[in-house]
Amino acid sequence: MQNLKIPRDWVAALGDDFCSTFLTEISQHLKEFHDQKILIYPPLDVVFRAFELSSFKKTRVLILGQDPYHGTSQANGLSFSVNSYLKIPPSLKNIFKELNSDLGISQSSHGNLESWANQGVLLLNSALTVEHGIPNSHALLGWSKLTDRVIKVLSNRGDAVFILWGKLAQTKLQLVDLEKNCILTAPHPSPLSAYRGFFGCHHFSKANQGLIDMGKPVVNWELEPLKFS
């Protein structure tokens, strides 16, 4: 089983000792799953992809999900995102609907959110792995030690927009300094709760306004269409 590595700039922000201890603990858990031939997502080489695409210095927006998609080949290391060739999941469809309603951006034909990550949108899940077919199966595996610390160091740095969708994400409110950052909360975009207040939340325009107020560049939320050769 390959070794997990957190990108160096995030290690500097989170602390060498913390990262070393955490990686030792989580790697042992994942090795046990590997030895038992339990299928987990995403592939280990993209577990920390959100951090690779959005460095600590560059991150100005955090969108927090619950855990990776638990279907075959869906999870790609970015919360809510799937690779371009896959069907768009229901929650992401609702995100695109709200984006269209909020900013008039046409709904994307694909669900790859890499361009958001490249602009400094940290697409983070509370747990970074999941077992095949079992949502929230790694909620108690220890990932919260990492994700809570990420939220804290971003909050302490300040000038970030935190987008928290759903009850689980909103339990992290206590970790965020409300005076230093912009906080946006709404129900989860899943089909079960989107109509309870996610639709009409205007979080994309509000996030950009928050960035303007902090003197930071706005995010271009429009995804480029697929290109076929």
Side-chain angles (χ1 to χ4, degrees):
M1 192 183 83
Q2 68 187 83
N3 293 326
L4 292 173
K5 291 183 179 180
I6 299 173
R8 184 63 217 170
D9 72 307
W10 278 101
V11 172
L14 298 169
D16 285 292
D17 290 342
F18 168 82
C19 290
S20 177
T21 300
F22 173 78
L23 286 174
T24 297
E25 293 176 355
I26 204 72
S27 294
Q28 181 57 44
H29 288 307
L30 295 177
K31 183 179 184 301
E32 292 172 3
F33 291 117
H34 179 267
D35 291 345
Q36 297 172 41
K37 301 189 185 310
I38 296 174
L39 185 59
I40 64 171
Y41 302 126
L44 293 185
D45 62 343
V46 297
V47 164
F48 294 127
R49 187 162 173 250
F51 301 108
E52 293 168 357
L53 296 182
S54 186
S55 68
F56 174 71
K57 182 179 180 180
K58 185 170 69 173
T59 295
R60 60 188 192 271
V61 177
L62 182 148
I63 297 179
L64 186 65
Q66 176 177 285
D67 59 348
Y69 294 120
H70 53 86
T72 302
S73 300
Q74 284 185 302
N76 67 5
L78 305 176
S79 64
F80 296 105
S81 175
V82 293
N83 291 329
S84 301
Y85 56 85
L86 292 175
K87 181 180 179 181
I88 300 174
S91 291
L92 186 52
K93 280 186 178 180
N94 286 339
I95 289 172
F96 289 159
K97 287 179 181 178
E98 175 57 24
L99 181 58
N100 173 256
S101 173
D102 186 11
L103 293 176
I105 293 174
S106 298
Q107 294 185 39
S108 176
S109 61
H110 66 89
N112 189 340
L113 305 181
E114 186 174 320
S115 70
W116 293 2
N118 286 332
Q119 296 178 72
V121 179
L122 184 65
L123 295 165
L124 186 68
N125 280 310
S126 295
L128 300 190
T129 56
V130 69
E131 292 179 34
H132 173 74
I134 311 176
N136 219 25
S137 50
H138 287 185
L140 302 180
L141 196 64
W143 284 115
S144 61
K145 294 179 183 179
L146 174 65
T147 53
D148 284 3
R149 192 170 182 96
V150 167
I151 293 169
K152 286 180 181 177
V153 298
L154 280 175
S155 170
N156 290 338
R157 188 203 66 188
D159 289 345
V161 176
F162 291 81
I163 298 178
L164 308 177
W165 291 330
K167 292 181 180 179
L168 177 61
Q170 288 161 27
T171 63
K172 309 300 182 181
L173 269 171
Q174 60 184 332
L175 304 175
V176 182
D177 187 329
L178 305 183
E179 296 184 359
K180 289 183 175 181
N181 304 279
C182 173
I183 317 295
L184 302 173
T185 64
H188 196 276
S190 75
L192 294 175
S193 55
Y195 287 95
R196 299 172 186 168
F198 174 77
F199 290 136
C201 68
H202 302 290
H203 277 184
F204 300 100
S205 59
K206 289 179 179 178
N208 278 351
Q209 185 59 54
L211 291 170
I212 291 171
D213 293 342
M214 293 183 284
K216 292 183 174 291
V218 300
V219 175
N220 177 9
W221 297 103
E222 186 170 8
L223 302 180
E224 291 188 5
L226 294 178
K227 296 178 180 179
F228 300 97
S229 57

